[in-house]
Amino acid sequence: MNALNAQWLIRSQSIVTLAAGMIYPYYLLFLKNAGNSYSKYGLAFAVFTVSSAAVSQWLAPRLDRHGVRMLAASSLGMAAVMLAFPWVMSYGLVLVLQLVMGICNAMQKMSERLLIADHTQHGSRGVVIGSFHFWTSAASGFAVILGGFLIDWLTIDALFYASALLYALSAWAVWRYGRHGAGRAAAAESQRAAHRQL
Amino acid sequence: MKKSIALLLLAALSLYVYVRNDVPDQDPYAITDYSRLHPVKVERVVKGQEERQLVAIVQEARQKGLTVSIAGQRHSQGGHTYYKDGIVVDMTSFNRILAVDPARKTVRVQAGATWKDVQDAVNPYGLAVKTKQSQNIFTVGGSISINAHGRDIRNGSLIKSVESFRLLTADGQIKQVSRTENADLFPLALGGYGLFGIILDVTLTLADDEMYRITSDRMSVGEYSAYFQNRVKSNPDIRLHLARISVAPDSFLTDMYAINYTVDRSIPLRGHDRLNEGERLVIPTKLMFNLNRSFDWGKNVFWDLQKRFFGTQQGTVISRNNAMRSESGFMEYREAGKNDLLQEYFIPPDELSAFVEDFKAVLRSESMNLLNITVRYVNRDEEAKLSYAREDMFALVCLFNVPLTEQGQTQMKQSVQRILDAVMKHRGTYYLPYAPYASLDQFRAMYPNYGVFFNKKDEYDPEHLFMNYFYENYRGE
């Protein structure tokens, strides 16, 4: 296995970090304005982590079979949340969206780790993980600078919509190439198994 | 290789953003106002919480020889709300609605309450504000300190709807001020730009909330004064009015349209008086306003779209409270080194078209980027010592996109002083809450009561505890 097999993963997840990086720091500002106190602000984050933790236990037994689906679903879920944010007018709804984002986060983080593991081999993971980290971080860097310009020129709502578009694009990329890539990984695995038997 | 290129690009982009934003108007540790001009360090910014605390601040400042400046939303643009090394009292948190009296039609609010807070409080009683700026984001204290005016053409400037207020003066005393109690301070503190003390709370008289039908008309600048006198002022059912003068190259300072809000008694208020929340279509409007700011063709397109938009509004109905909370999100602008700044000129109706001709000549030779002119009407109101409406006036609210660099500001100052010469030639005045481009002589010529105003300031506040850049720029001597 080499980095090539994980390329679709790196690309699709770079789009995810582009979408996330673009919105995240500005989202924090938005969230701070939603709560009048820091404890309310803290609660919004707690809801995110609690839902993420809780759903992980439901996802765990299904992860191995549905990794790619989960990754695509997490992007789609985030796209929906990004579309909803500009229309939110109450703190209660912010909490609901935080809860949904927690679920998406669990799906994304767990399936991402699974797929990295699936597409790498013990003893040669460093390069792929390094590549993965580099491109996702770099994408985040470009995104956050771009996001600043976009808000200055348009509005924070426009940024939410742009982020939604990128999330949707990444869902498509995961779905389109992930199944293919996963298929290839499975084929390679069965080939290896055949070799071992010989 | 690809990674090195990506890293290099990212580093270069970061450097570009750093350099681009490394200008004084983007310094997060300095205090300025909406203009972002003249940022300085202050001793501290204190949020106003309660009366005792404000009294203690005034006493502390006196003991330590510090100055006190009073800030609301900081939308004034001439350094009225802060002073170098002084204490800034941020009144936005001192914002409770204290009492609504539906029988007397009054509301009593703390000075940091915004017009939105007031509207939210009085709307359920079928009441509305008499006079205010078009937007509702400003604090009541700030608005009466600049003696604001707006779309209402029947209720004069804001001072007229103030019944009384309580003022924390430089000696640490709290004084009840009205037209009968401590009456001397009334026309000084209102339109006094925070130089006479901290306004704690205000009692405002209110109007009835009513249903209006919107109509709009198009005309040329030459026709506007007659139109206003014959069709608007003479029709007592028209309560709110505003007009716009084109800044688009194709119809520069000739084309106008006017919007009237006429009482429609056939529509019941109940069921139609829900307050509008949030803003619509900010993204496309902001994009259009950016094009208006950046290109001549953008100005033409924006002007055409505005006319078309108000055509579609023809005949729609709106409550007074909703008509008095217009949108502002699309005008937000944070570009480093540049800003959109207001200037406002008051011109007597019979002088309007002649003034606009002179104005046009100055604008053409000075290459200023003028983004918008709205026209309001204010009745003669000489109550405030620094009154701008010595007779009935049209107010031309002009929004300019200006560079904030020293050179750009020097240029702007020269250009504005030329405009102000034209204003004076046509018996006009200018508005004081904006950037201090006027020369001292121009200020004195257009505000002949300046001597009384500043002498009273020295009398009530001999140690100059309440301080700001308006005082520093225009005290003279």
Side-chain angles (χ1 to χ4, degrees):
Chain A
M1 289 310 269
N2 55 39
L4 264 182
N5 289 338
Q7 220 170 42
W8 68 271
L9 184 64
I10 294 175
R11 283 188 186 151
S12 70
Q13 293 317 288
S14 294
I15 303 176
V16 166
T17 49
L18 200 64
M22 177 182 267
I23 202 72
Y24 189 65
Y26 309 106
Y27 173 67
L28 292 185
L29 284 177
F30 171 89
L31 209 57
K32 176 63 195 81
N33 291 335
N36 329 358
S37 62
Y38 281 98
S39 46
K40 263 177 111 172
Y41 178 52
L43 176 66
F45 269 91
V47 167
F48 174 88
T49 52
V50 168
S51 80
S52 189
V55 82
S56 71
Q57 296 312 292
W58 185 82
L59 292 172
R62 296 162 177 86
L63 184 63
D64 289 290
R65 279 192 58 202
H66 302 292
V68 171
R69 272 188 206 102
M70 277 184 200
L71 196 59
S74 80
S75 283
L76 272 186
M78 286 303 291
V81 170
M82 291 299 121
L83 287 179
F85 254 113
W87 303 94
V88 165
M89 283 291 153
S90 76
Y91 180 70
L93 279 177
V94 169
L95 292 189
V96 171
L97 292 184
Q98 282 286 106
L99 187 133
V100 177
M101 287 205 293
I103 297 171
C104 293
N105 172 262
M107 292 198 289
Q108 197 266 336
K109 281 272 183 288
M110 289 169 73
S111 55
E112 173 192 274
R113 281 166 198 158
L114 171 92
L115 291 166
I116 289 179
D118 278 357
H119 288 80
T120 51
Q121 256 188 334
H122 177 71
S124 63
R125 289 194 168 123
V127 177
V128 178
I129 289 178
S131 215
F132 187 93
H133 182 82
F134 179 88
W135 288 112
T136 51
S137 295
S140 193
F142 282 113
V144 78
I145 290 177
L146 192 74
F149 281 111
L150 200 63
I151 298 184
D152 278 346
W153 246 75
L154 295 171
T155 62
I156 191 158
D157 289 357
L159 197 62
F160 277 113
Y161 296 140
S163 175
L165 193 71
L166 286 173
Y167 272 119
L169 189 70
S170 75
W172 174 81
V174 168
W175 195 240
R176 172 85 174 69
Y177 298 104
R179 284 192 312 173
H180 177 65
R184 219 161 42 180
E189 183 58 36
S190 59
Q191 222 170 25
R192 270 199 304 277
H195 276 296
R196 275 198 296 274
Q197 277 176 354
L198 284 175
Chain B
M1 182 62 183
K2 263 197 245 169
K3 283 179 189 152
S4 310
I5 293 173
L7 265 188
L8 212 64
L9 260 176
L10 198 53
L13 194 59
S14 302
L15 190 69
Y16 166 73
V17 176
Y18 177 83
V19 171
R20 195 184 141 100
N21 288 291
D22 187 28
V23 284
D25 70 273
Q26 300 288 324
D27 181 351
Y29 298 102
I31 292 286
T32 172
D33 52 28
Y34 190 81
S35 72
R36 291 191 261 124
L37 289 167
H38 202 62
V40 297
K41 295 270 198 285
V42 297
E43 148 79 19
R44 67 181 194 269
V45 180
V46 197
K47 280 205 170 278
Q49 307 285 359
E50 54 182 318
E51 226 163 272
R52 269 185 316 180
Q53 168 220 13
L54 293 173
V55 173
I57 290 170
V58 166
Q59 281 164 349
E60 182 204 330
R62 260 222 332 254
Q63 279 158 14
K64 294 187 180 164
L66 294 167
T67 63
V68 173
S69 306
I70 308 143
Q73 295 289 353
R74 296 186 214 175
H75 266 255
S76 52
Q77 302 179 1
H80 302 75
T81 52
Y82 61 96
Y83 195 71
K84 191 173 183 298
D85 299 328
I87 299 173
V88 173
V89 182
D90 175 356
M91 293 294 283
T92 52
S93 44
F94 198 76
N95 63 349
R96 280 188 301 133
I97 304 290
L98 300 171
V100 183
D101 186 339
R104 283 186 62 233
K105 291 188 191 172
T106 58
V107 62
R108 193 165 151 250
V109 298
Q110 289 187 328
T114 62
W115 290 119
K116 180 185 186 305
D117 300 330
V118 176
Q119 288 184 319
D120 290 352
V122 305
N123 191 62
Y125 298 97
L127 295 171
V129 176
K130 276 184 177 168
T131 303
K132 57 183 276 302
Q133 305 90 324
S134 291
Q135 282 102 28
N136 63 2
I137 54 177
F138 311 106
T139 64
V140 172
S143 303
I144 64 175
S145 296
I146 63 164
N147 188 22
H149 67 98
R151 293 181 177 183
D152 187 288
I153 56 171
R154 308 288 168 192
N155 288 298
S157 42
L158 186 50
I159 188 169
K160 222 171 169 177
S161 42
V162 179
E163 191 175 271
S164 63
F165 56 93
R166 288 191 317 136
L167 185 72
L168 168 56
T169 49
D171 52 10
Q173 302 289 311
I174 295 173
K175 297 192 172 86
Q176 178 74 25
V177 182
S178 69
R179 290 181 179 83
T180 51
E181 256 178 296
N182 295 305
D184 190 37
L185 276 166
F186 194 84
L188 291 167
L190 300 184
Y193 299 93
L195 289 174
F196 287 85
I198 302 177
I199 295 171
L200 297 174
D201 42 60
V202 190
T203 304
L204 294 169
T205 58
L206 298 167
D208 288 322
D209 196 11
E210 309 172 297
M211 289 308 297
Y212 297 143
R213 197 168 283 282
I214 301 176
T215 53
S216 66
D217 293 300
R218 292 175 57 178
M219 73 275 315
S220 68
V221 170
E223 296 160 340
Y224 177 71
S225 290
Y227 164 84
F228 184 82
Q229 297 292 344
N230 303 330
R231 301 264 308 276
V232 180
K233 204 181 166 192
S234 58
N235 178 358
D237 280 350
I238 297 181
R239 303 291 166 82
L240 312 180
H241 169 89
L242 81 149
R244 286 205 171 84
I245 301 179
S246 168
V247 295
D250 289 353
S251 52
F252 192 60
L253 265 53
T254 51
D255 223 4
M256 282 188 81
Y257 68 87
I259 304 166
N260 297 311
Y261 297 79
T262 313
V263 178
D264 189 333
R265 296 180 183 86
S266 68
I267 307 158
L269 183 64
R270 288 286 159 237
H272 292 96
D273 62 348
R274 221 176 85 126
L275 291 175
N276 293 338
E277 295 290 344
E279 298 193 15
R280 297 157 308 150
L281 299 174
V282 185
I283 297 172
T285 335
K286 194 170 174 188
L287 184 67
M288 275 317 306
F289 203 69
N290 263 320
L291 296 177
N292 178 55
R293 192 183 277 126
S294 310
F295 308 102
D296 276 351
W297 64 263
K299 289 184 171 65
N300 285 327
V301 173
F302 190 61
W303 178 248
D304 285 342
L305 281 176
Q306 277 186 72
K307 281 191 299 191
R308 219 171 291 173
F309 174 75
F310 282 101
T312 65
Q313 297 290 294
Q314 193 84 259
T316 53
V317 291
I318 189 170
S319 72
R320 179 181 176 89
N321 274 328
N322 278 330
M324 292 176 97
R325 47 202 283 140
S326 108
E327 310 193 323
S328 60
F330 72 92
M331 287 166 75
E332 270 182 25
Y333 181 64
R334 302 192 187 87
E335 171 107 19
K338 276 183 180 176
N339 205 354
D340 293 347
L341 297 187
L342 286 167
Q343 290 284 298
E344 184 169 343
Y345 311 116
F346 299 93
I347 308 292
D350 58 330
E351 293 285 336
L352 181 75
S353 50
F355 166 74
V356 170
E357 281 311 308
D358 287 350
F359 188 23
K360 198 188 287 183
V362 178
L363 288 170
R364 286 238 158 96
S365 63
E366 294 285 343
S367 72
M368 302 164 91
N369 187 7
L370 178 55
L371 305 181
N372 186 44
I373 307 177
T374 61
V375 181
R376 312 285 157 78
Y377 174 78
V378 271
N379 311 106
R380 174 172 168 260
D381 188 343
E382 293 193 89
E383 192 176 9
K385 273 286 168 284
L386 294 184
S387 161
Y388 45 80
R390 293 200 303 268
E391 51 188 302
D392 292 347
M393 294 280 194
F394 285 134
L396 275 64
V397 186
C398 306
L399 188 67
F400 292 95
N401 182 249
V402 300
L404 300 178
T405 57
E406 214 177 302
Q407 194 195 358
Q409 283 300 301
T410 311
Q411 182 58 48
M412 184 68 186
K413 191 171 188 157
Q414 279 172 14
S415 309
V416 170
Q417 290 188 357
R418 282 189 61 196
I419 297 171
L420 288 174
D421 285 339
V423 168
M424 282 196 286
K425 182 177 142 197
H426 296 284
R427 305 198 319 272
T429 56
Y430 73 103
Y431 202 20
L432 298 172
Y434 302 127
Y437 297 129
S439 70
L440 185 61
D441 287 341
Q442 288 176 322
F443 165 70
R444 288 179 167 180
M446 288 184 266
Y447 286 91
N449 284 335
Y450 71 89
V452 183
F453 180 83
F454 285 122
N455 288 339
K456 286 285 181 186
K457 159 75 178 170
D458 297 346
E459 181 187 323
Y460 281 104
D461 181 12
E463 289 160 21
H464 297 160
L465 183 90
F466 296 110
M467 197 56 185
N468 62 29
Y469 288 100
F470 171 64
Y471 184 93
E472 186 172 287
N473 290 325
Y474 292 108
R475 175 69 177 96
E477 287 158 25

